[in-house]
Amino acid sequence: MEILISSSVWDPKPWVEGLSKSELVDKIHVWPTDNDLSNVEALFVWKPLDSGVIERLPKLKWISSLGAGVDHLMGDPQIPADIPITRIVDPFLAQDMTNYVIMGLMMYQRSISTHLANQKSKVWDRIGYKPLKVGVMGLGALGGHLAERLKILGFEVCGYSRTLKSLDGVACFDQSGLDEFLSHSEVLVNLLPITNHTIDILNACLFSKLPDSAYLINVARGNHLVEKDLIDALNAGKLSGALLDVFREEPLPEKSPFWEHPKVSITPHVASVTTPSSAIKLLLKNLDLLVNGKELLHRVNIQNGY
Ligand code: NAP
Ligand code: GLV
């Protein structure tokens, strides 16, 4: 089978090297290319496709995102409705995301940035800390893994998802229980996908339903967050701080107030990055299923948008 890889931000080399070891793979093309693409049957994509890619792939049978998110593919008018789209669900992705959130949570709970600043000025201040209730928005491959690990670490955890979940020791809420979920979330972690229903969900109204001085960790997508509402909530003291890994515009523009806000910590969309060697196993498994006419793993529900 011939494959096309399109990623405007990642080095295609590890993907090409890993995939080309499979007997199922005849040829790998990397976008942009002048090659004849008329025999390409599988398209692996990270970041939005350039216009005109799909019309060069008359035999296309399958598209996979190279990450967990598929927002770069949803609503792209050049993608035919009948082409299955899959995404990466991978143990390393879940483990890395969980570790990142735990890092952010612990740094907040134990006032680590203040201790580091105090060290610089030789200040000995034994700042207290308290147990935290953590709310995880989105209980899918990443949020579900996180909620279970947080519980094991001794946090009181509640979770929120579209359909009601049952996770050991985690108080689960569906959409009808959003307000109650928020009222318990002293730290709110966003791991929802971006859809028509979740865009701008982190806004002033939602913040007003959190306990006073709540802390926000946004590791899902920048478009979930109304940035001005966050700045206002931080400045008013409604929220005590935020750790942001994702932004409406990436790289974060120099003029963004987040760079210098004293209550905001930022990282450049590195919470959890796909590990090619591991994700390639899933891509090859799906390639095998495709060749054998079977249902692909981790197929996106286009109606739901994730
Ligand atoms: P997933 O498995 O599809 O899980 C999504 C969860 O969100 C599910 O529990 C789903 O509910 C819930 N959900 C969807 N729409 C909802 C709504 N309207 N109201 C309430 N709950 C809703 O996704 P995932 O693999 O965990 O990934 C989540 C997101 O993380 C990705 O979409 C991506 O944007 C982001 N991400 C970020 C990074 C990073 O480095 N920052 C890395 C990887 C992924 P159901 O369970 O009922 O379907
Ligand atoms: C990263 O943001 C992903 O969606 O995998």
Side-chain angles (χ1 to χ4, degrees), residues 68-69 71 87 93 97 138-143 160-163 165 175 191-193 197-198 219-221 245-246 269-272 306:
D71 40 300
R87 68 192 193 91
L93 208 55
M97 179 57 82
L139 292 174
L142 302 183
Y160 171 73
S161 51
R162 193 175 56 83
T163 56
K165 296 282 173 292
Q175 289 170 318
L191 271 167
L192 292 168
H197 301 286
T198 64
V219 273
R221 284 292 181 265
D245 182 58
V246 287
H269 201 147
V270 291
S272 176
Y306 67 97

PDB file of all heavy atoms in Angstrom, residues 68-69 71 87 93 97 138-143 160-163 165 175 191-193 197-198 219-221 245-246 269-272 306, ligand 1:
ATOM      1  N   ALA A  68      -3.823  12.612  19.187  1.00  0.00           N
ATOM      2  CA  ALA A  68      -5.110  12.230  19.774  1.00  0.00           C
ATOM      3  C   ALA A  68      -6.232  13.097  19.206  1.00  0.00           C
ATOM      4  O   ALA A  68      -7.337  12.629  18.953  1.00  0.00           O
ATOM      5  CB  ALA A  68      -5.045  12.392  21.292  1.00  0.00           C
ATOM      6  N   GLY A  69      -5.932  14.375  19.009  1.00  0.00           N
ATOM      7  CA  GLY A  69      -6.950  15.297  18.523  1.00  0.00           C
ATOM      8  C   GLY A  69      -7.180  15.150  17.027  1.00  0.00           C
ATOM      9  O   GLY A  69      -6.284  14.741  16.272  1.00  0.00           O
ATOM     10  N   ASP A  71      -9.224  17.769  15.538  1.00  0.00           N
ATOM     11  CA  ASP A  71      -9.825  19.060  15.184  1.00  0.00           C
ATOM     12  C   ASP A  71      -9.238  19.623  13.902  1.00  0.00           C
ATOM     13  O   ASP A  71      -9.895  20.390  13.206  1.00  0.00           O
ATOM     14  CB  ASP A  71      -9.667  20.062  16.340  1.00  0.00           C
ATOM     15  CG  ASP A  71      -8.311  19.975  17.024  1.00  0.00           C
ATOM     16  OD1 ASP A  71      -7.984  18.900  17.558  1.00  0.00           O
ATOM     17  OD2 ASP A  71      -7.585  20.984  17.012  1.00  0.00           O
ATOM     18  N   ARG A  87      -7.671   8.047  14.965  1.00  0.00           N
ATOM     19  CA  ARG A  87      -6.770   8.926  15.715  1.00  0.00           C
ATOM     20  C   ARG A  87      -5.860   8.073  16.586  1.00  0.00           C
ATOM     21  O   ARG A  87      -6.073   6.856  16.699  1.00  0.00           O
ATOM     22  CB  ARG A  87      -7.589   9.919  16.551  1.00  0.00           C
ATOM     23  CG  ARG A  87      -8.340   9.231  17.653  1.00  0.00           C
ATOM     24  CD  ARG A  87      -9.372  10.123  18.319  1.00  0.00           C
ATOM     25  NE  ARG A  87      -9.822   9.481  19.552  1.00  0.00           N
ATOM     26  CZ  ARG A  87      -9.278   9.679  20.735  1.00  0.00           C
ATOM     27  NH1 ARG A  87      -8.288  10.519  20.886  1.00  0.00           N
ATOM     28  NH2 ARG A  87      -9.715   9.033  21.794  1.00  0.00           N
ATOM     29  N   LEU A  93       1.039   8.286  25.215  1.00  0.00           N
ATOM     30  CA  LEU A  93       0.347   9.573  25.163  1.00  0.00           C
ATOM     31  C   LEU A  93      -0.413   9.806  26.477  1.00  0.00           C
ATOM     32  O   LEU A  93      -0.385  10.891  27.055  1.00  0.00           O
ATOM     33  CB  LEU A  93      -0.611   9.577  23.972  1.00  0.00           C
ATOM     34  CG  LEU A  93      -0.949  10.893  23.294  1.00  0.00           C
ATOM     35  CD1 LEU A  93       0.275  11.641  22.827  1.00  0.00           C
ATOM     36  CD2 LEU A  93      -1.880  10.654  22.103  1.00  0.00           C
ATOM     37  N   MET A  97       0.613  12.577  29.370  1.00  0.00           N
ATOM     38  CA  MET A  97      -0.354  13.600  29.760  1.00  0.00           C
ATOM     39  C   MET A  97      -0.608  13.547  31.267  1.00  0.00           C
ATOM     40  O   MET A  97      -0.612  14.579  31.954  1.00  0.00           O
ATOM     41  CB  MET A  97      -1.669  13.398  28.981  1.00  0.00           C
ATOM     42  CG  MET A  97      -2.745  14.399  29.321  1.00  0.00           C
ATOM     43  SD  MET A  97      -2.216  16.107  29.048  1.00  0.00           S
ATOM     44  CE  MET A  97      -2.482  16.287  27.299  1.00  0.00           C
ATOM     45  N   GLY A 138     -13.669  15.662  30.622  1.00  0.00           N
ATOM     46  CA  GLY A 138     -13.298  14.724  29.567  1.00  0.00           C
ATOM     47  C   GLY A 138     -12.716  13.491  30.217  1.00  0.00           C
ATOM     48  O   GLY A 138     -11.665  13.559  30.879  1.00  0.00           O
ATOM     49  N   LEU A 139     -13.432  12.371  30.092  1.00  0.00           N
ATOM     50  CA  LEU A 139     -12.969  11.121  30.717  1.00  0.00           C
ATOM     51  C   LEU A 139     -12.700  10.069  29.650  1.00  0.00           C
ATOM     52  O   LEU A 139     -13.089   8.916  29.765  1.00  0.00           O
ATOM     53  CB  LEU A 139     -14.024  10.613  31.716  1.00  0.00           C
ATOM     54  CG  LEU A 139     -14.219  11.481  32.954  1.00  0.00           C
ATOM     55  CD1 LEU A 139     -15.372  10.968  33.805  1.00  0.00           C
ATOM     56  CD2 LEU A 139     -12.936  11.552  33.786  1.00  0.00           C
ATOM     57  N   GLY A 140     -12.033  10.511  28.566  1.00  0.00           N
ATOM     58  CA  GLY A 140     -11.704   9.583  27.484  1.00  0.00           C
ATOM     59  C   GLY A 140     -10.365   8.919  27.729  1.00  0.00           C
ATOM     60  O   GLY A 140      -9.967   8.672  28.873  1.00  0.00           O
ATOM     61  N   ALA A 141      -9.650   8.651  26.631  1.00  0.00           N
ATOM     62  CA  ALA A 141      -8.375   7.932  26.729  1.00  0.00           C
ATOM     63  C   ALA A 141      -7.412   8.666  27.675  1.00  0.00           C
ATOM     64  O   ALA A 141      -6.712   8.022  28.462  1.00  0.00           O
ATOM     65  CB  ALA A 141      -7.758   7.808  25.334  1.00  0.00           C
ATOM     66  N   LEU A 142      -7.389   9.991  27.614  1.00  0.00           N
ATOM     67  CA  LEU A 142      -6.446  10.744  28.441  1.00  0.00           C
ATOM     68  C   LEU A 142      -7.054  11.108  29.801  1.00  0.00           C
ATOM     69  O   LEU A 142      -6.451  10.856  30.838  1.00  0.00           O
ATOM     70  CB  LEU A 142      -5.999  12.011  27.702  1.00  0.00           C
ATOM     71  CG  LEU A 142      -5.344  11.771  26.335  1.00  0.00           C
ATOM     72  CD1 LEU A 142      -4.869  13.087  25.720  1.00  0.00           C
ATOM     73  CD2 LEU A 142      -4.182  10.794  26.437  1.00  0.00           C
ATOM     74  N   GLY A 143      -8.246  11.711  29.785  1.00  0.00           N
ATOM     75  CA  GLY A 143      -8.867  12.137  31.042  1.00  0.00           C
ATOM     76  C   GLY A 143      -9.177  10.970  31.966  1.00  0.00           C
ATOM     77  O   GLY A 143      -9.022  11.073  33.194  1.00  0.00           O
ATOM     78  N   TYR A 160     -16.044  14.546  34.401  1.00  0.00           N
ATOM     79  CA  TYR A 160     -17.187  15.031  33.616  1.00  0.00           C
ATOM     80  C   TYR A 160     -17.050  14.536  32.186  1.00  0.00           C
ATOM     81  O   TYR A 160     -15.967  14.630  31.582  1.00  0.00           O
ATOM     82  CB  TYR A 160     -17.172  16.563  33.643  1.00  0.00           C
ATOM     83  CG  TYR A 160     -18.145  17.231  32.711  1.00  0.00           C
ATOM     84  CD1 TYR A 160     -19.507  17.225  32.977  1.00  0.00           C
ATOM     85  CD2 TYR A 160     -17.685  17.882  31.560  1.00  0.00           C
ATOM     86  CE1 TYR A 160     -20.395  17.851  32.106  1.00  0.00           C
ATOM     87  CE2 TYR A 160     -18.571  18.512  30.691  1.00  0.00           C
ATOM     88  CZ  TYR A 160     -19.918  18.485  30.973  1.00  0.00           C
ATOM     89  OH  TYR A 160     -20.794  19.104  30.127  1.00  0.00           O
ATOM     90  N   SER A 161     -18.123  13.976  31.658  1.00  0.00           N
ATOM     91  CA  SER A 161     -18.073  13.502  30.269  1.00  0.00           C
ATOM     92  C   SER A 161     -19.458  13.596  29.648  1.00  0.00           C
ATOM     93  O   SER A 161     -20.454  13.823  30.341  1.00  0.00           O
ATOM     94  CB  SER A 161     -17.558  12.057  30.210  1.00  0.00           C
ATOM     95  OG  SER A 161     -18.291  11.251  31.106  1.00  0.00           O
ATOM     96  N   ARG A 162     -19.537  13.406  28.338  1.00  0.00           N
ATOM     97  CA  ARG A 162     -20.816  13.514  27.619  1.00  0.00           C
ATOM     98  C   ARG A 162     -21.746  12.392  28.068  1.00  0.00           C
ATOM     99  O   ARG A 162     -22.895  12.620  28.434  1.00  0.00           O
ATOM    100  CB  ARG A 162     -20.560  13.462  26.110  1.00  0.00           C
ATOM    101  CG  ARG A 162     -21.740  13.872  25.244  1.00  0.00           C
ATOM    102  CD  ARG A 162     -21.333  13.896  23.781  1.00  0.00           C
ATOM    103  NE  ARG A 162     -20.779  12.618  23.346  1.00  0.00           N
ATOM    104  CZ  ARG A 162     -21.494  11.576  22.965  1.00  0.00           C
ATOM    105  NH1 ARG A 162     -22.811  11.635  22.948  1.00  0.00           N
ATOM    106  NH2 ARG A 162     -20.903  10.457  22.585  1.00  0.00           N
ATOM    107  N   THR A 163     -21.237  11.163  28.031  1.00  0.00           N
ATOM    108  CA  THR A 163     -22.027  10.031  28.536  1.00  0.00           C
ATOM    109  C   THR A 163     -21.469   9.643  29.898  1.00  0.00           C
ATOM    110  O   THR A 163     -20.254   9.725  30.119  1.00  0.00           O
ATOM    111  CB  THR A 163     -21.939   8.834  27.573  1.00  0.00           C
ATOM    112  OG1 THR A 163     -20.559   8.493  27.379  1.00  0.00           O
ATOM    113  CG2 THR A 163     -22.556   9.161  26.219  1.00  0.00           C
ATOM    114  N   LYS A 165     -19.873   8.033  33.001  1.00  0.00           N
ATOM    115  CA  LYS A 165     -18.844   6.995  33.162  1.00  0.00           C
ATOM    116  C   LYS A 165     -18.922   6.406  34.568  1.00  0.00           C
ATOM    117  O   LYS A 165     -19.514   7.001  35.472  1.00  0.00           O
ATOM    118  CB  LYS A 165     -17.449   7.601  32.947  1.00  0.00           C
ATOM    119  CG  LYS A 165     -17.215   8.125  31.553  1.00  0.00           C
ATOM    120  CD  LYS A 165     -16.919   6.983  30.602  1.00  0.00           C
ATOM    121  CE  LYS A 165     -16.829   7.411  29.161  1.00  0.00           C
ATOM    122  NZ  LYS A 165     -18.077   7.853  28.555  1.00  0.00           N
ATOM    123  N   GLN A 175     -23.496  15.637  31.391  1.00  0.00           N
ATOM    124  CA  GLN A 175     -23.772  17.052  31.139  1.00  0.00           C
ATOM    125  C   GLN A 175     -24.817  17.627  32.089  1.00  0.00           C
ATOM    126  O   GLN A 175     -24.753  18.807  32.426  1.00  0.00           O
ATOM    127  CB  GLN A 175     -24.178  17.236  29.681  1.00  0.00           C
ATOM    128  CG  GLN A 175     -22.980  17.032  28.759  1.00  0.00           C
ATOM    129  CD  GLN A 175     -23.345  16.964  27.296  1.00  0.00           C
ATOM    130  OE1 GLN A 175     -24.332  16.325  26.921  1.00  0.00           O
ATOM    131  NE2 GLN A 175     -22.543  17.581  26.451  1.00  0.00           N
ATOM    132  N   LEU A 191      -9.616  18.230  29.553  1.00  0.00           N
ATOM    133  CA  LEU A 191      -9.160  17.243  28.559  1.00  0.00           C
ATOM    134  C   LEU A 191     -10.307  16.851  27.624  1.00  0.00           C
ATOM    135  O   LEU A 191     -10.452  15.689  27.250  1.00  0.00           O
ATOM    136  CB  LEU A 191      -8.561  16.014  29.253  1.00  0.00           C
ATOM    137  CG  LEU A 191      -7.060  16.162  29.532  1.00  0.00           C
ATOM    138  CD1 LEU A 191      -6.541  15.098  30.474  1.00  0.00           C
ATOM    139  CD2 LEU A 191      -6.245  16.152  28.230  1.00  0.00           C
ATOM    140  N   LEU A 192     -11.099  17.862  27.251  1.00  0.00           N
ATOM    141  CA  LEU A 192     -12.169  17.654  26.275  1.00  0.00           C
ATOM    142  C   LEU A 192     -11.599  17.778  24.863  1.00  0.00           C
ATOM    143  O   LEU A 192     -10.615  18.483  24.649  1.00  0.00           O
ATOM    144  CB  LEU A 192     -13.253  18.726  26.443  1.00  0.00           C
ATOM    145  CG  LEU A 192     -14.084  18.694  27.724  1.00  0.00           C
ATOM    146  CD1 LEU A 192     -14.894  19.981  27.847  1.00  0.00           C
ATOM    147  CD2 LEU A 192     -14.994  17.469  27.741  1.00  0.00           C
ATOM    148  N   PRO A 193     -12.255  17.172  23.887  1.00  0.00           N
ATOM    149  CA  PRO A 193     -11.887  17.481  22.498  1.00  0.00           C
ATOM    150  C   PRO A 193     -12.559  18.788  22.090  1.00  0.00           C
ATOM    151  O   PRO A 193     -13.544  19.194  22.700  1.00  0.00           O
ATOM    152  CB  PRO A 193     -12.502  16.317  21.720  1.00  0.00           C
ATOM    153  CG  PRO A 193     -13.673  15.886  22.552  1.00  0.00           C
ATOM    154  CD  PRO A 193     -13.359  16.205  23.981  1.00  0.00           C
ATOM    155  N   HIS A 197     -19.688  21.830  20.512  1.00  0.00           N
ATOM    156  CA  HIS A 197     -20.272  21.947  21.857  1.00  0.00           C
ATOM    157  C   HIS A 197     -19.259  22.375  22.910  1.00  0.00           C
ATOM    158  O   HIS A 197     -19.640  22.778  24.007  1.00  0.00           O
ATOM    159  CB  HIS A 197     -20.897  20.619  22.286  1.00  0.00           C
ATOM    160  CG  HIS A 197     -21.974  20.153  21.375  1.00  0.00           C
ATOM    161  ND1 HIS A 197     -23.213  20.739  21.349  1.00  0.00           N
ATOM    162  CD2 HIS A 197     -21.984  19.185  20.419  1.00  0.00           C
ATOM    163  CE1 HIS A 197     -23.949  20.145  20.412  1.00  0.00           C
ATOM    164  NE2 HIS A 197     -23.215  19.203  19.841  1.00  0.00           N
ATOM    165  N   THR A 198     -17.977  22.236  22.613  1.00  0.00           N
ATOM    166  CA  THR A 198     -16.978  22.510  23.667  1.00  0.00           C
ATOM    167  C   THR A 198     -16.122  23.747  23.379  1.00  0.00           C
ATOM    168  O   THR A 198     -15.373  24.171  24.246  1.00  0.00           O
ATOM    169  CB  THR A 198     -16.032  21.307  23.869  1.00  0.00           C
ATOM    170  OG1 THR A 198     -15.272  21.114  22.658  1.00  0.00           O
ATOM    171  CG2 THR A 198     -16.798  20.033  24.190  1.00  0.00           C
ATOM    172  N   VAL A 219      -5.020  21.619  29.045  1.00  0.00           N
ATOM    173  CA  VAL A 219      -4.077  20.830  28.249  1.00  0.00           C
ATOM    174  C   VAL A 219      -4.759  20.269  27.002  1.00  0.00           C
ATOM    175  O   VAL A 219      -4.213  19.400  26.341  1.00  0.00           O
ATOM    176  CB  VAL A 219      -3.500  19.656  29.079  1.00  0.00           C
ATOM    177  CG1 VAL A 219      -2.285  20.097  29.866  1.00  0.00           C
ATOM    178  CG2 VAL A 219      -4.531  19.031  29.996  1.00  0.00           C
ATOM    179  N   ALA A 220      -5.972  20.767  26.703  1.00  0.00           N
ATOM    180  CA  ALA A 220      -6.711  20.181  25.571  1.00  0.00           C
ATOM    181  C   ALA A 220      -6.483  21.003  24.300  1.00  0.00           C
ATOM    182  O   ALA A 220      -5.629  20.663  23.479  1.00  0.00           O
ATOM    183  CB  ALA A 220      -8.184  20.050  25.927  1.00  0.00           C
ATOM    184  N   ARG A 221      -7.224  22.092  24.148  1.00  0.00           N
ATOM    185  CA  ARG A 221      -7.028  22.964  22.993  1.00  0.00           C
ATOM    186  C   ARG A 221      -7.228  24.416  23.413  1.00  0.00           C
ATOM    187  O   ARG A 221      -8.068  24.716  24.267  1.00  0.00           O
ATOM    188  CB  ARG A 221      -8.020  22.620  21.868  1.00  0.00           C
ATOM    189  CG  ARG A 221      -7.672  21.375  21.090  1.00  0.00           C
ATOM    190  CD  ARG A 221      -6.405  21.518  20.249  1.00  0.00           C
ATOM    191  NE  ARG A 221      -6.092  20.315  19.493  1.00  0.00           N
ATOM    192  CZ  ARG A 221      -5.246  19.347  19.884  1.00  0.00           C
ATOM    193  NH1 ARG A 221      -4.617  19.444  21.039  1.00  0.00           N
ATOM    194  NH2 ARG A 221      -5.013  18.289  19.117  1.00  0.00           N
ATOM    195  N   ASP A 245      -1.104  24.898  28.392  1.00  0.00           N
ATOM    196  CA  ASP A 245      -0.184  24.247  27.445  1.00  0.00           C
ATOM    197  C   ASP A 245      -0.601  24.511  26.000  1.00  0.00           C
ATOM    198  O   ASP A 245       0.174  24.280  25.080  1.00  0.00           O
ATOM    199  CB  ASP A 245      -0.172  22.731  27.714  1.00  0.00           C
ATOM    200  CG  ASP A 245       0.804  21.998  26.802  1.00  0.00           C
ATOM    201  OD1 ASP A 245       2.000  22.340  26.825  1.00  0.00           O
ATOM    202  OD2 ASP A 245       0.372  21.088  26.055  1.00  0.00           O
ATOM    203  N   VAL A 246      -1.850  24.963  25.827  1.00  0.00           N
ATOM    204  CA  VAL A 246      -2.403  25.121  24.474  1.00  0.00           C
ATOM    205  C   VAL A 246      -3.045  26.499  24.349  1.00  0.00           C
ATOM    206  O   VAL A 246      -3.550  27.044  25.328  1.00  0.00           O
ATOM    207  CB  VAL A 246      -3.440  24.009  24.185  1.00  0.00           C
ATOM    208  CG1 VAL A 246      -2.765  22.670  23.961  1.00  0.00           C
ATOM    209  CG2 VAL A 246      -4.452  23.902  25.315  1.00  0.00           C
ATOM    210  N   HIS A 269       2.691  23.674  24.171  1.00  0.00           N
ATOM    211  CA  HIS A 269       1.996  22.498  23.626  1.00  0.00           C
ATOM    212  C   HIS A 269       2.909  21.253  23.646  1.00  0.00           C
ATOM    213  O   HIS A 269       3.187  20.650  22.606  1.00  0.00           O
ATOM    214  CB  HIS A 269       1.496  22.776  22.194  1.00  0.00           C
ATOM    215  CG  HIS A 269       0.369  21.852  21.782  1.00  0.00           C
ATOM    216  ND1 HIS A 269      -0.637  22.234  20.940  1.00  0.00           N
ATOM    217  CD2 HIS A 269       0.107  20.561  22.087  1.00  0.00           C
ATOM    218  CE1 HIS A 269      -1.466  21.230  20.740  1.00  0.00           C
ATOM    219  NE2 HIS A 269      -1.028  20.182  21.433  1.00  0.00           N
ATOM    220  N   VAL A 270       3.365  20.963  24.847  1.00  0.00           N
ATOM    221  CA  VAL A 270       4.262  19.807  25.018  1.00  0.00           C
ATOM    222  C   VAL A 270       3.755  18.840  26.085  1.00  0.00           C
ATOM    223  O   VAL A 270       4.489  17.946  26.511  1.00  0.00           O
ATOM    224  CB  VAL A 270       5.690  20.262  25.412  1.00  0.00           C
ATOM    225  CG1 VAL A 270       6.380  20.972  24.262  1.00  0.00           C
ATOM    226  CG2 VAL A 270       5.669  21.154  26.662  1.00  0.00           C
ATOM    227  N   ALA A 271       2.495  19.031  26.525  1.00  0.00           N
ATOM    228  CA  ALA A 271       2.008  18.191  27.632  1.00  0.00           C
ATOM    229  C   ALA A 271       2.169  16.715  27.296  1.00  0.00           C
ATOM    230  O   ALA A 271       2.609  15.909  28.105  1.00  0.00           O
ATOM    231  CB  ALA A 271       0.554  18.522  27.934  1.00  0.00           C
ATOM    232  N   SER A 272       1.821  16.354  26.067  1.00  0.00           N
ATOM    233  CA  SER A 272       1.914  14.951  25.664  1.00  0.00           C
ATOM    234  C   SER A 272       2.067  14.910  24.144  1.00  0.00           C
ATOM    235  O   SER A 272       1.169  15.304  23.418  1.00  0.00           O
ATOM    236  CB  SER A 272       0.642  14.233  26.105  1.00  0.00           C
ATOM    237  OG  SER A 272       0.649  12.917  25.670  1.00  0.00           O
ATOM    238  N   TYR A 306     -15.490  13.952  17.400  1.00  0.00           N
ATOM    239  CA  TYR A 306     -14.267  13.493  18.090  1.00  0.00           C
ATOM    240  C   TYR A 306     -14.223  11.968  18.100  1.00  0.00           C
ATOM    241  O   TYR A 306     -15.208  11.330  17.767  1.00  0.00           O
ATOM    242  CB  TYR A 306     -14.194  14.038  19.518  1.00  0.00           C
ATOM    243  CG  TYR A 306     -15.249  13.519  20.479  1.00  0.00           C
ATOM    244  CD1 TYR A 306     -14.976  12.450  21.350  1.00  0.00           C
ATOM    245  CD2 TYR A 306     -16.523  14.079  20.521  1.00  0.00           C
ATOM    246  CE1 TYR A 306     -15.933  11.986  22.232  1.00  0.00           C
ATOM    247  CE2 TYR A 306     -17.485  13.611  21.395  1.00  0.00           C
ATOM    248  CZ  TYR A 306     -17.188  12.560  22.250  1.00  0.00           C
ATOM    249  OH  TYR A 306     -18.149  12.097  23.106  1.00  0.00           O
TER     250      TYR A 306
HETATM  251  P1  NAP B   1     -11.300  11.147  23.859  1.00  0.00           P
HETATM  252  O1  NAP B   1     -10.817   9.775  24.214  1.00  0.00           O
HETATM  253  O2  NAP B   1     -12.098  11.313  22.623  1.00  0.00           O
HETATM  254  O3  NAP B   1     -12.112  11.690  25.115  1.00  0.00           O
HETATM  255  C1  NAP B   1     -12.909  12.827  25.059  1.00  0.00           C
HETATM  256  C2  NAP B   1     -13.744  12.922  26.329  1.00  0.00           C
HETATM  257  O4  NAP B   1     -14.461  14.147  26.296  1.00  0.00           O
HETATM  258  C3  NAP B   1     -14.787  11.800  26.434  1.00  0.00           C
HETATM  259  O5  NAP B   1     -14.919  11.394  27.772  1.00  0.00           O
HETATM  260  C4  NAP B   1     -16.064  12.486  25.958  1.00  0.00           C
HETATM  261  O6  NAP B   1     -17.268  11.967  26.500  1.00  0.00           O
HETATM  262  C5  NAP B   1     -15.851  13.879  26.502  1.00  0.00           C
HETATM  263  N1  NAP B   1     -16.670  14.863  25.776  1.00  0.00           N
HETATM  264  C6  NAP B   1     -16.705  15.131  24.452  1.00  0.00           C
HETATM  265  N2  NAP B   1     -17.598  16.102  24.175  1.00  0.00           N
HETATM  266  C7  NAP B   1     -18.142  16.444  25.368  1.00  0.00           C
HETATM  267  C8  NAP B   1     -19.129  17.379  25.757  1.00  0.00           C
HETATM  268  N3  NAP B   1     -19.756  18.157  24.858  1.00  0.00           N
HETATM  269  N4  NAP B   1     -19.462  17.455  27.059  1.00  0.00           N
HETATM  270  C9  NAP B   1     -18.864  16.663  27.971  1.00  0.00           C
HETATM  271  N5  NAP B   1     -17.922  15.753  27.684  1.00  0.00           N
HETATM  272  C10 NAP B   1     -17.556  15.651  26.385  1.00  0.00           C
HETATM  273  O7  NAP B   1     -10.047  12.150  23.738  1.00  0.00           O
HETATM  274  P2  NAP B   1      -8.611  12.001  24.396  1.00  0.00           P
HETATM  275  O8  NAP B   1      -7.777  11.046  23.608  1.00  0.00           O
HETATM  276  O9  NAP B   1      -8.767  11.764  25.857  1.00  0.00           O
HETATM  277  O10 NAP B   1      -8.008  13.458  24.097  1.00  0.00           O
HETATM  278  C11 NAP B   1      -8.657  14.620  24.592  1.00  0.00           C
HETATM  279  C12 NAP B   1      -8.052  15.861  23.959  1.00  0.00           C
HETATM  280  O11 NAP B   1      -6.758  16.133  24.505  1.00  0.00           O
HETATM  281  C13 NAP B   1      -7.754  15.752  22.463  1.00  0.00           C
HETATM  282  O12 NAP B   1      -8.927  15.978  21.710  1.00  0.00           O
HETATM  283  C14 NAP B   1      -6.715  16.839  22.255  1.00  0.00           C
HETATM  284  O13 NAP B   1      -7.362  18.037  21.901  1.00  0.00           O
HETATM  285  C15 NAP B   1      -6.064  16.997  23.617  1.00  0.00           C
HETATM  286  N6  NAP B   1      -4.634  16.619  23.624  1.00  0.00           N
HETATM  287  C16 NAP B   1      -3.715  17.562  23.980  1.00  0.00           C
HETATM  288  C17 NAP B   1      -2.373  17.216  24.039  1.00  0.00           C
HETATM  289  C18 NAP B   1      -1.335  18.192  24.464  1.00  0.00           C
HETATM  290  O14 NAP B   1      -0.143  17.931  24.318  1.00  0.00           O
HETATM  291  N7  NAP B   1      -1.689  19.318  25.013  1.00  0.00           N
HETATM  292  C19 NAP B   1      -1.975  15.915  23.721  1.00  0.00           C
HETATM  293  C20 NAP B   1      -2.935  14.990  23.356  1.00  0.00           C
HETATM  294  C21 NAP B   1      -4.284  15.357  23.314  1.00  0.00           C
HETATM  295  P3  NAP B   1     -17.727  10.442  26.183  1.00  0.00           P
HETATM  296  O15 NAP B   1     -16.768   9.593  26.996  1.00  0.00           O
HETATM  297  O16 NAP B   1     -19.095  10.372  26.689  1.00  0.00           O
HETATM  298  O17 NAP B   1     -17.573  10.253  24.707  1.00  0.00           O
END
